[in-house]
Amino acid sequence: MQFDLTDLRLFVLAADERNLTRAAAGRHLSLAAASARIKALEQHAGLPLLYREARGVRLTPGGEAFLHHARGILRQSEKLRADLQEYGGGLRGHLRVFANTTAVTDFLPEILPEFLSANPKINIDLQEKPNPEIARGVLDGRADIGIVAGKVDTLGLESIHFSTDRLVLATAKNHRFARRKKIAFAETLDDDQVGMQSGSTLQTFLAQVTDALGKPLKLRIQLSSFDAMCRMIGAGVGVGIVPESAARRNQVAMGITLIELTDPWSVRERYILVRNRSALPLYAESLIETLCAHYR
């Protein structure tokens, strides 16, 4: 089956608006022309895609499936257009990376400058996403590479282990926990907490843990970076759960103490997710090798 992109855009807009008249106006078409295009789509598909009703339209079961694929085709066509524009400007590669909070705010800012300097014709679109969304993004083609940590449903993707992440409790040096070598996360819940911003991978994960414990976090402040968290913790604002690498980087400057967590989830394996490693372009494979070599 062959479909015109204009028709697909019209169909997607009609499905979103649930109204063919508004969809026609949105695509600068007359209602008659829009209706004819939708009917042509249905003839190509061999089944009705929309129920026509007095107040608008709604998707048939076949239309639901058609909408899913139409969105994918349009997304790919837009990526093709954008990539070709970049190649026309001399760019040889574009990588889309979905990664969790620790990757985006902690170790990728350390690793990527050298990689980009060594690869001046490569662009990277780095987006912070929750772990489940990272796997889905790689699976459906919105991302070329995903970086996750902990127990994640990888949805059948190829997983490349590259390092081990450990979460620790950070406190001010004069805090009552500062003399402890180990502590359970549940013991810290009566204290004011310094956390990452709402929606971050780590904060979402800790919210799930506290829900299971039946006791919420007493968040006093939420910040956008681990370095800022360590500064607040060192100033005595509260305690906080941070990756060990970030905590050690700030330990002396911010005056914080690191305490090992006894919870099994505090140790998290890190993985790179790809759909098919053998099919990746050389510059994508180069980024994977750079990540692995950094922790080797």
Side-chain angles (χ1 to χ4, degrees):
M1 291 183 289
Q2 296 183 355
F3 298 104
D4 185 281
L5 293 181
T6 300
D7 292 348
L8 294 182
R9 292 189 183 99
L10 173 65
F11 176 79
V12 169
L13 188 56
D16 289 342
E17 294 283 350
R18 297 186 179 182
N19 186 288
L20 191 53
T21 301
R22 288 198 294 269
R27 300 307 305 169
H28 306 291
L29 297 168
S30 69
L31 179 58
S35 181
R37 284 179 174 272
I38 295 296
K39 287 179 180 177
L41 274 182
E42 292 176 319
Q43 289 174 355
H44 279 297
L47 75 166
L49 302 175
L50 296 172
Y51 292 121
R52 278 76 169 173
E53 299 175 336
R55 295 186 178 181
V57 296
R58 62 185 176 91
L59 294 168
T60 66
E64 294 277 4
F66 190 89
L67 177 64
H68 170 74
H69 290 289
R71 289 192 195 279
I73 292 170
L74 292 174
R75 189 162 53 239
Q76 285 299 109
S77 69
E78 180 60 25
K79 180 181 180 299
L80 173 62
R81 183 193 64 78
D83 284 356
L84 289 179
Q85 284 181 341
E86 289 174 340
Y87 278 99
L91 188 71
R92 290 201 298 267
H94 185 96
L95 270 175
R96 298 160 302 160
V97 180
F98 283 5
N100 64 5
T101 304
T102 305
V104 171
T105 63
D106 191 37
F107 64 83
L108 285 179
E110 178 184 351
I111 295 170
L112 289 181
E114 184 177 348
F115 175 83
L116 291 169
S117 177
N119 296 273
K121 296 294 186 178
I122 305 301
N123 277 0
I124 293 179
D125 176 12
L126 175 62
Q127 297 184 38
E128 181 183 341
K129 300 283 185 181
N131 277 327
E133 179 64 19
I134 294 169
R136 286 195 297 270
V138 175
L139 185 65
D140 66 22
R142 286 178 291 133
D144 305 298
I145 291 173
I147 299 174
V148 298
K151 293 182 178 179
V152 181
D153 183 355
T154 60
L155 305 177
L157 297 166
E158 289 190 42
S159 302
I160 306 156
H161 181 268
F162 69 98
S163 69
T164 300
D165 178 30
R166 182 184 294 277
L167 297 174
V168 298
L169 179 74
T171 74
K173 285 186 175 180
N174 60 355
H175 193 276
R176 71 181 191 281
F177 291 151
R179 296 179 180 274
R180 300 276 296 272
K181 292 184 180 295
K182 298 182 179 182
I183 195 168
F185 177 60
E187 294 181 64
T188 73
L189 296 181
D190 288 329
D191 280 68
D192 287 335
Q193 300 273 339
V194 176
M196 283 292 284
Q197 61 192 358
S198 180
S200 68
T201 310
L202 178 57
Q203 212 55 45
T204 300
F205 172 74
L206 291 177
Q208 293 170 349
V209 174
T210 55
D211 283 347
L213 292 171
K215 194 171 185 178
L217 280 173
K218 294 171 60 179
L219 284 167
R220 192 168 183 203
I221 188 170
Q222 292 179 265
L223 302 154
S224 60
S225 74
F226 295 120
D227 291 350
M229 280 184 65
C230 290
R231 182 180 295 276
M232 289 290 177
I233 293 167
V237 173
V239 302
I241 304 299
V242 293
E244 185 176 20
S245 56
R248 291 199 179 282
R249 184 174 65 244
N250 288 283
Q251 187 171 9
V252 175
M254 304 304 180
I256 58 175
T257 298
L258 281 56
I259 303 157
E260 181 182 340
L261 290 167
T262 58
D263 305 82
W265 50 256
S266 64
V267 178
R268 306 190 302 169
E269 303 302 331
R270 290 173 176 160
Y271 296 93
I272 299 166
L273 303 181
V274 295
R275 290 186 299 281
N276 182 357
R277 187 173 183 178
S278 63
L280 288 174
L282 289 176
Y283 53 83
E285 179 62 32
S286 177
L287 177 58
I288 292 173
E289 282 300 318
T290 298
L291 280 168
C292 293
H294 183 81
Y295 290 97
R296 191 166 292 143

PDB file of all heavy atoms in Angstrom, residues 93-124:
ATOM      1  N   GLY A  93      26.618  12.894  10.878  1.00  0.00           N
ATOM      2  CA  GLY A  93      25.911  11.975  11.766  1.00  0.00           C
ATOM      3  C   GLY A  93      25.129  12.698  12.848  1.00  0.00           C
ATOM      4  O   GLY A  93      25.505  13.787  13.284  1.00  0.00           O
ATOM      5  N   HIS A  94      24.039  12.078  13.266  1.00  0.00           N
ATOM      6  CA  HIS A  94      23.187  12.644  14.319  1.00  0.00           C
ATOM      7  C   HIS A  94      22.743  11.494  15.208  1.00  0.00           C
ATOM      8  O   HIS A  94      22.144  10.529  14.738  1.00  0.00           O
ATOM      9  CB  HIS A  94      21.974  13.336  13.693  1.00  0.00           C
ATOM     10  CG  HIS A  94      21.111  14.035  14.701  1.00  0.00           C
ATOM     11  ND1 HIS A  94      21.236  15.381  14.974  1.00  0.00           N
ATOM     12  CD2 HIS A  94      20.130  13.581  15.518  1.00  0.00           C
ATOM     13  CE1 HIS A  94      20.357  15.716  15.906  1.00  0.00           C
ATOM     14  NE2 HIS A  94      19.677  14.646  16.247  1.00  0.00           N
ATOM     15  N   LEU A  95      23.033  11.602  16.505  1.00  0.00           N
ATOM     16  CA  LEU A  95      22.687  10.547  17.455  1.00  0.00           C
ATOM     17  C   LEU A  95      21.642  11.051  18.435  1.00  0.00           C
ATOM     18  O   LEU A  95      21.789  12.123  19.021  1.00  0.00           O
ATOM     19  CB  LEU A  95      23.930  10.118  18.247  1.00  0.00           C
ATOM     20  CG  LEU A  95      24.778   8.983  17.684  1.00  0.00           C
ATOM     21  CD1 LEU A  95      26.016   8.798  18.545  1.00  0.00           C
ATOM     22  CD2 LEU A  95      23.992   7.694  17.604  1.00  0.00           C
ATOM     23  N   ARG A  96      20.586  10.270  18.602  1.00  0.00           N
ATOM     24  CA  ARG A  96      19.555  10.592  19.592  1.00  0.00           C
ATOM     25  C   ARG A  96      19.736   9.641  20.771  1.00  0.00           C
ATOM     26  O   ARG A  96      19.675   8.422  20.610  1.00  0.00           O
ATOM     27  CB  ARG A  96      18.168  10.436  18.984  1.00  0.00           C
ATOM     28  CG  ARG A  96      17.904  11.373  17.801  1.00  0.00           C
ATOM     29  CD  ARG A  96      16.776  10.884  16.951  1.00  0.00           C
ATOM     30  NE  ARG A  96      17.049   9.555  16.442  1.00  0.00           N
ATOM     31  CZ  ARG A  96      16.117   8.713  15.998  1.00  0.00           C
ATOM     32  NH1 ARG A  96      14.850   9.066  16.012  1.00  0.00           N
ATOM     33  NH2 ARG A  96      16.449   7.525  15.541  1.00  0.00           N
ATOM     34  N   VAL A  97      19.968  10.210  21.951  1.00  0.00           N
ATOM     35  CA  VAL A  97      20.264   9.420  23.147  1.00  0.00           C
ATOM     36  C   VAL A  97      19.239   9.743  24.229  1.00  0.00           C
ATOM     37  O   VAL A  97      19.067  10.909  24.594  1.00  0.00           O
ATOM     38  CB  VAL A  97      21.687   9.705  23.671  1.00  0.00           C
ATOM     39  CG1 VAL A  97      21.973   8.868  24.912  1.00  0.00           C
ATOM     40  CG2 VAL A  97      22.725   9.440  22.585  1.00  0.00           C
ATOM     41  N   PHE A  98      18.544   8.702  24.713  1.00  0.00           N
ATOM     42  CA  PHE A  98      17.675   8.827  25.887  1.00  0.00           C
ATOM     43  C   PHE A  98      18.454   8.253  27.076  1.00  0.00           C
ATOM     44  O   PHE A  98      19.005   7.151  26.974  1.00  0.00           O
ATOM     45  CB  PHE A  98      16.376   8.030  25.715  1.00  0.00           C
ATOM     46  CG  PHE A  98      15.356   8.689  24.820  1.00  0.00           C
ATOM     47  CD1 PHE A  98      15.635   9.850  24.134  1.00  0.00           C
ATOM     48  CD2 PHE A  98      14.094   8.118  24.656  1.00  0.00           C
ATOM     49  CE1 PHE A  98      14.691  10.448  23.301  1.00  0.00           C
ATOM     50  CE2 PHE A  98      13.144   8.698  23.835  1.00  0.00           C
ATOM     51  CZ  PHE A  98      13.440   9.872  23.160  1.00  0.00           C
ATOM     52  N   ALA A  99      18.498   8.976  28.187  1.00  0.00           N
ATOM     53  CA  ALA A  99      19.291   8.510  29.328  1.00  0.00           C
ATOM     54  C   ALA A  99      18.618   8.913  30.639  1.00  0.00           C
ATOM     55  O   ALA A  99      17.791   9.828  30.681  1.00  0.00           O
ATOM     56  CB  ALA A  99      20.699   9.094  29.270  1.00  0.00           C
ATOM     57  N   ASN A 100      19.000   8.210  31.712  1.00  0.00           N
ATOM     58  CA  ASN A 100      18.422   8.515  33.026  1.00  0.00           C
ATOM     59  C   ASN A 100      19.115   9.725  33.654  1.00  0.00           C
ATOM     60  O   ASN A 100      20.065  10.276  33.107  1.00  0.00           O
ATOM     61  CB  ASN A 100      18.477   7.287  33.936  1.00  0.00           C
ATOM     62  CG  ASN A 100      19.894   6.853  34.254  1.00  0.00           C
ATOM     63  OD1 ASN A 100      20.869   7.504  33.883  1.00  0.00           O
ATOM     64  ND2 ASN A 100      20.015   5.745  34.946  1.00  0.00           N
ATOM     65  N   THR A 101      18.621  10.117  34.824  1.00  0.00           N
ATOM     66  CA  THR A 101      19.109  11.341  35.471  1.00  0.00           C
ATOM     67  C   THR A 101      20.608  11.299  35.729  1.00  0.00           C
ATOM     68  O   THR A 101      21.321  12.271  35.454  1.00  0.00           O
ATOM     69  CB  THR A 101      18.377  11.558  36.812  1.00  0.00           C
ATOM     70  OG1 THR A 101      16.973  11.581  36.576  1.00  0.00           O
ATOM     71  CG2 THR A 101      18.798  12.867  37.451  1.00  0.00           C
ATOM     72  N   THR A 102      21.103  10.192  36.274  1.00  0.00           N
ATOM     73  CA  THR A 102      22.522  10.102  36.618  1.00  0.00           C
ATOM     74  C   THR A 102      23.393  10.280  35.390  1.00  0.00           C
ATOM     75  O   THR A 102      24.413  10.973  35.420  1.00  0.00           O
ATOM     76  CB  THR A 102      22.831   8.749  37.290  1.00  0.00           C
ATOM     77  OG1 THR A 102      21.967   8.581  38.417  1.00  0.00           O
ATOM     78  CG2 THR A 102      24.272   8.684  37.755  1.00  0.00           C
ATOM     79  N   ALA A 103      22.996   9.650  34.290  1.00  0.00           N
ATOM     80  CA  ALA A 103      23.772   9.768  33.056  1.00  0.00           C
ATOM     81  C   ALA A 103      23.790  11.205  32.546  1.00  0.00           C
ATOM     82  O   ALA A 103      24.844  11.749  32.202  1.00  0.00           O
ATOM     83  CB  ALA A 103      23.204   8.835  31.989  1.00  0.00           C
ATOM     84  N   VAL A 104      22.608  11.834  32.507  1.00  0.00           N
ATOM     85  CA  VAL A 104      22.491  13.178  31.931  1.00  0.00           C
ATOM     86  C   VAL A 104      23.199  14.226  32.776  1.00  0.00           C
ATOM     87  O   VAL A 104      23.825  15.146  32.247  1.00  0.00           O
ATOM     88  CB  VAL A 104      21.002  13.547  31.740  1.00  0.00           C
ATOM     89  CG1 VAL A 104      20.846  15.012  31.348  1.00  0.00           C
ATOM     90  CG2 VAL A 104      20.369  12.652  30.677  1.00  0.00           C
ATOM     91  N   THR A 105      23.100  14.093  34.099  1.00  0.00           N
ATOM     92  CA  THR A 105      23.622  15.159  34.967  1.00  0.00           C
ATOM     93  C   THR A 105      24.982  14.841  35.579  1.00  0.00           C
ATOM     94  O   THR A 105      25.650  15.759  36.070  1.00  0.00           O
ATOM     95  CB  THR A 105      22.638  15.450  36.120  1.00  0.00           C
ATOM     96  OG1 THR A 105      22.500  14.281  36.940  1.00  0.00           O
ATOM     97  CG2 THR A 105      21.277  15.841  35.584  1.00  0.00           C
ATOM     98  N   ASP A 106      25.407  13.574  35.538  1.00  0.00           N
ATOM     99  CA  ASP A 106      26.626  13.211  36.264  1.00  0.00           C
ATOM    100  C   ASP A 106      27.778  12.809  35.350  1.00  0.00           C
ATOM    101  O   ASP A 106      28.782  13.518  35.266  1.00  0.00           O
ATOM    102  CB  ASP A 106      26.322  12.094  37.260  1.00  0.00           C
ATOM    103  CG  ASP A 106      27.477  11.852  38.222  1.00  0.00           C
ATOM    104  OD1 ASP A 106      28.128  12.831  38.611  1.00  0.00           O
ATOM    105  OD2 ASP A 106      27.730  10.687  38.567  1.00  0.00           O
ATOM    106  N   PHE A 107      27.648  11.689  34.616  1.00  0.00           N
ATOM    107  CA  PHE A 107      28.840  11.218  33.917  1.00  0.00           C
ATOM    108  C   PHE A 107      28.906  11.575  32.432  1.00  0.00           C
ATOM    109  O   PHE A 107      29.998  11.714  31.883  1.00  0.00           O
ATOM    110  CB  PHE A 107      29.059   9.708  34.124  1.00  0.00           C
ATOM    111  CG  PHE A 107      27.989   8.804  33.571  1.00  0.00           C
ATOM    112  CD1 PHE A 107      27.979   8.422  32.249  1.00  0.00           C
ATOM    113  CD2 PHE A 107      27.001   8.306  34.404  1.00  0.00           C
ATOM    114  CE1 PHE A 107      27.024   7.558  31.747  1.00  0.00           C
ATOM    115  CE2 PHE A 107      26.038   7.439  33.930  1.00  0.00           C
ATOM    116  CZ  PHE A 107      26.042   7.063  32.583  1.00  0.00           C
ATOM    117  N   LEU A 108      27.777  11.758  31.753  1.00  0.00           N
ATOM    118  CA  LEU A 108      27.866  12.127  30.339  1.00  0.00           C
ATOM    119  C   LEU A 108      28.472  13.511  30.119  1.00  0.00           C
ATOM    120  O   LEU A 108      29.234  13.700  29.156  1.00  0.00           O
ATOM    121  CB  LEU A 108      26.492  12.031  29.678  1.00  0.00           C
ATOM    122  CG  LEU A 108      25.996  10.603  29.385  1.00  0.00           C
ATOM    123  CD1 LEU A 108      24.613  10.631  28.752  1.00  0.00           C
ATOM    124  CD2 LEU A 108      26.973   9.844  28.482  1.00  0.00           C
ATOM    125  N   PRO A 109      28.189  14.503  30.988  1.00  0.00           N
ATOM    126  CA  PRO A 109      28.868  15.793  30.802  1.00  0.00           C
ATOM    127  C   PRO A 109      30.384  15.698  30.907  1.00  0.00           C
ATOM    128  O   PRO A 109      31.106  16.561  30.399  1.00  0.00           O
ATOM    129  CB  PRO A 109      28.296  16.653  31.949  1.00  0.00           C
ATOM    130  CG  PRO A 109      26.948  16.072  32.199  1.00  0.00           C
ATOM    131  CD  PRO A 109      27.137  14.586  32.022  1.00  0.00           C
ATOM    132  N   GLU A 110      30.879  14.650  31.564  1.00  0.00           N
ATOM    133  CA  GLU A 110      32.320  14.434  31.664  1.00  0.00           C
ATOM    134  C   GLU A 110      32.870  13.726  30.431  1.00  0.00           C
ATOM    135  O   GLU A 110      33.986  14.004  29.985  1.00  0.00           O
ATOM    136  CB  GLU A 110      32.619  13.600  32.917  1.00  0.00           C
ATOM    137  CG  GLU A 110      34.081  13.255  33.116  1.00  0.00           C
ATOM    138  CD  GLU A 110      34.313  12.351  34.315  1.00  0.00           C
ATOM    139  OE1 GLU A 110      33.357  12.130  35.093  1.00  0.00           O
ATOM    140  OE2 GLU A 110      35.438  11.872  34.473  1.00  0.00           O
ATOM    141  N   ILE A 111      32.054  12.823  29.853  1.00  0.00           N
ATOM    142  CA  ILE A 111      32.523  11.975  28.756  1.00  0.00           C
ATOM    143  C   ILE A 111      32.300  12.607  27.381  1.00  0.00           C
ATOM    144  O   ILE A 111      33.157  12.511  26.487  1.00  0.00           O
ATOM    145  CB  ILE A 111      31.823  10.605  28.825  1.00  0.00           C
ATOM    146  CG1 ILE A 111      32.227   9.865  30.104  1.00  0.00           C
ATOM    147  CG2 ILE A 111      32.140   9.748  27.597  1.00  0.00           C
ATOM    148  CD1 ILE A 111      31.399   8.617  30.379  1.00  0.00           C
ATOM    149  N   LEU A 112      31.171  13.275  27.191  1.00  0.00           N
ATOM    150  CA  LEU A 112      30.792  13.731  25.855  1.00  0.00           C
ATOM    151  C   LEU A 112      31.680  14.835  25.265  1.00  0.00           C
ATOM    152  O   LEU A 112      31.877  14.848  24.042  1.00  0.00           O
ATOM    153  CB  LEU A 112      29.337  14.190  25.853  1.00  0.00           C
ATOM    154  CG  LEU A 112      28.301  13.071  25.979  1.00  0.00           C
ATOM    155  CD1 LEU A 112      26.889  13.650  25.940  1.00  0.00           C
ATOM    156  CD2 LEU A 112      28.467  12.039  24.865  1.00  0.00           C
ATOM    157  N   PRO A 113      32.203  15.785  26.052  1.00  0.00           N
ATOM    158  CA  PRO A 113      33.031  16.821  25.417  1.00  0.00           C
ATOM    159  C   PRO A 113      34.198  16.264  24.605  1.00  0.00           C
ATOM    160  O   PRO A 113      34.448  16.707  23.480  1.00  0.00           O
ATOM    161  CB  PRO A 113      33.521  17.644  26.615  1.00  0.00           C
ATOM    162  CG  PRO A 113      32.439  17.495  27.629  1.00  0.00           C
ATOM    163  CD  PRO A 113      31.985  16.065  27.484  1.00  0.00           C
ATOM    164  N   GLU A 114      34.891  15.276  25.167  1.00  0.00           N
ATOM    165  CA  GLU A 114      36.025  14.682  24.442  1.00  0.00           C
ATOM    166  C   GLU A 114      35.547  13.945  23.201  1.00  0.00           C
ATOM    167  O   GLU A 114      36.174  14.027  22.135  1.00  0.00           O
ATOM    168  CB  GLU A 114      36.795  13.737  25.365  1.00  0.00           C
ATOM    169  CG  GLU A 114      38.053  13.160  24.722  1.00  0.00           C
ATOM    170  CD  GLU A 114      38.847  12.290  25.675  1.00  0.00           C
ATOM    171  OE1 GLU A 114      38.562  12.314  26.887  1.00  0.00           O
ATOM    172  OE2 GLU A 114      39.759  11.584  25.205  1.00  0.00           O
ATOM    173  N   PHE A 115      34.403  13.224  23.322  1.00  0.00           N
ATOM    174  CA  PHE A 115      33.865  12.506  22.170  1.00  0.00           C
ATOM    175  C   PHE A 115      33.478  13.480  21.058  1.00  0.00           C
ATOM    176  O   PHE A 115      33.800  13.259  19.885  1.00  0.00           O
ATOM    177  CB  PHE A 115      32.648  11.674  22.586  1.00  0.00           C
ATOM    178  CG  PHE A 115      31.944  10.994  21.437  1.00  0.00           C
ATOM    179  CD1 PHE A 115      32.412   9.790  20.936  1.00  0.00           C
ATOM    180  CD2 PHE A 115      30.825  11.577  20.851  1.00  0.00           C
ATOM    181  CE1 PHE A 115      31.773   9.164  19.862  1.00  0.00           C
ATOM    182  CE2 PHE A 115      30.182  10.959  19.781  1.00  0.00           C
ATOM    183  CZ  PHE A 115      30.659   9.758  19.289  1.00  0.00           C
ATOM    184  N   LEU A 116      32.785  14.563  21.401  1.00  0.00           N
ATOM    185  CA  LEU A 116      32.348  15.529  20.391  1.00  0.00           C
ATOM    186  C   LEU A 116      33.531  16.269  19.783  1.00  0.00           C
ATOM    187  O   LEU A 116      33.514  16.607  18.590  1.00  0.00           O
ATOM    188  CB  LEU A 116      31.361  16.513  21.017  1.00  0.00           C
ATOM    189  CG  LEU A 116      30.000  15.921  21.388  1.00  0.00           C
ATOM    190  CD1 LEU A 116      29.194  16.898  22.230  1.00  0.00           C
ATOM    191  CD2 LEU A 116      29.214  15.523  20.139  1.00  0.00           C
ATOM    192  N   SER A 117      34.549  16.515  20.589  1.00  0.00           N
ATOM    193  CA  SER A 117      35.748  17.159  20.063  1.00  0.00           C
ATOM    194  C   SER A 117      36.448  16.263  19.050  1.00  0.00           C
ATOM    195  O   SER A 117      36.955  16.738  18.032  1.00  0.00           O
ATOM    196  CB  SER A 117      36.702  17.491  21.214  1.00  0.00           C
ATOM    197  OG  SER A 117      37.902  18.062  20.724  1.00  0.00           O
ATOM    198  N   ALA A 118      36.454  14.957  19.320  1.00  0.00           N
ATOM    199  CA  ALA A 118      37.085  13.999  18.410  1.00  0.00           C
ATOM    200  C   ALA A 118      36.219  13.701  17.194  1.00  0.00           C
ATOM    201  O   ALA A 118      36.705  13.149  16.204  1.00  0.00           O
ATOM    202  CB  ALA A 118      37.402  12.699  19.147  1.00  0.00           C
ATOM    203  N   ASN A 119      34.917  14.059  17.278  1.00  0.00           N
ATOM    204  CA  ASN A 119      33.983  13.790  16.179  1.00  0.00           C
ATOM    205  C   ASN A 119      33.222  15.071  15.835  1.00  0.00           C
ATOM    206  O   ASN A 119      32.035  15.219  16.138  1.00  0.00           O
ATOM    207  CB  ASN A 119      32.989  12.693  16.588  1.00  0.00           C
ATOM    208  CG  ASN A 119      33.658  11.359  16.853  1.00  0.00           C
ATOM    209  OD1 ASN A 119      33.859  10.554  15.946  1.00  0.00           O
ATOM    210  ND2 ASN A 119      34.012  11.128  18.107  1.00  0.00           N
ATOM    211  N   PRO A 120      33.890  16.043  15.191  1.00  0.00           N
ATOM    212  CA  PRO A 120      33.287  17.362  14.964  1.00  0.00           C
ATOM    213  C   PRO A 120      32.086  17.355  14.022  1.00  0.00           C
ATOM    214  O   PRO A 120      31.335  18.329  13.991  1.00  0.00           O
ATOM    215  CB  PRO A 120      34.448  18.178  14.377  1.00  0.00           C
ATOM    216  CG  PRO A 120      35.384  17.168  13.801  1.00  0.00           C
ATOM    217  CD  PRO A 120      35.280  15.975  14.690  1.00  0.00           C
ATOM    218  N   LYS A 121      31.893  16.296  13.283  1.00  0.00           N
ATOM    219  CA  LYS A 121      30.767  16.224  12.342  1.00  0.00           C
ATOM    220  C   LYS A 121      29.581  15.443  12.910  1.00  0.00           C
ATOM    221  O   LYS A 121      28.655  15.102  12.183  1.00  0.00           O
ATOM    222  CB  LYS A 121      31.218  15.573  11.026  1.00  0.00           C
ATOM    223  CG  LYS A 121      32.259  16.363  10.260  1.00  0.00           C
ATOM    224  CD  LYS A 121      31.696  17.687   9.751  1.00  0.00           C
ATOM    225  CE  LYS A 121      32.690  18.411   8.858  1.00  0.00           C
ATOM    226  NZ  LYS A 121      32.143  19.669   8.328  1.00  0.00           N
ATOM    227  N   ILE A 122      29.612  15.154  14.201  1.00  0.00           N
ATOM    228  CA  ILE A 122      28.532  14.399  14.840  1.00  0.00           C
ATOM    229  C   ILE A 122      27.771  15.302  15.799  1.00  0.00           C
ATOM    230  O   ILE A 122      28.375  16.017  16.596  1.00  0.00           O
ATOM    231  CB  ILE A 122      29.093  13.177  15.612  1.00  0.00           C
ATOM    232  CG1 ILE A 122      29.949  12.305  14.696  1.00  0.00           C
ATOM    233  CG2 ILE A 122      27.947  12.366  16.221  1.00  0.00           C
ATOM    234  CD1 ILE A 122      29.229  11.770  13.489  1.00  0.00           C
ATOM    235  N   ASN A 123      26.458  15.270  15.723  1.00  0.00           N
ATOM    236  CA  ASN A 123      25.594  15.963  16.682  1.00  0.00           C
ATOM    237  C   ASN A 123      24.928  14.943  17.598  1.00  0.00           C
ATOM    238  O   ASN A 123      24.610  13.825  17.158  1.00  0.00           O
ATOM    239  CB  ASN A 123      24.496  16.760  15.972  1.00  0.00           C
ATOM    240  CG  ASN A 123      24.995  18.115  15.511  1.00  0.00           C
ATOM    241  OD1 ASN A 123      26.145  18.477  15.716  1.00  0.00           O
ATOM    242  ND2 ASN A 123      24.126  18.868  14.852  1.00  0.00           N
ATOM    243  N   ILE A 124      24.685  15.333  18.845  1.00  0.00           N
ATOM    244  CA  ILE A 124      23.997  14.448  19.791  1.00  0.00           C
ATOM    245  C   ILE A 124      22.789  15.172  20.375  1.00  0.00           C
ATOM    246  O   ILE A 124      22.914  16.296  20.880  1.00  0.00           O
ATOM    247  CB  ILE A 124      24.938  13.984  20.927  1.00  0.00           C
ATOM    248  CG1 ILE A 124      26.031  13.078  20.368  1.00  0.00           C
ATOM    249  CG2 ILE A 124      24.145  13.245  22.017  1.00  0.00           C
ATOM    250  CD1 ILE A 124      27.028  12.589  21.410  1.00  0.00           C
TER     251      ILE A 124
END
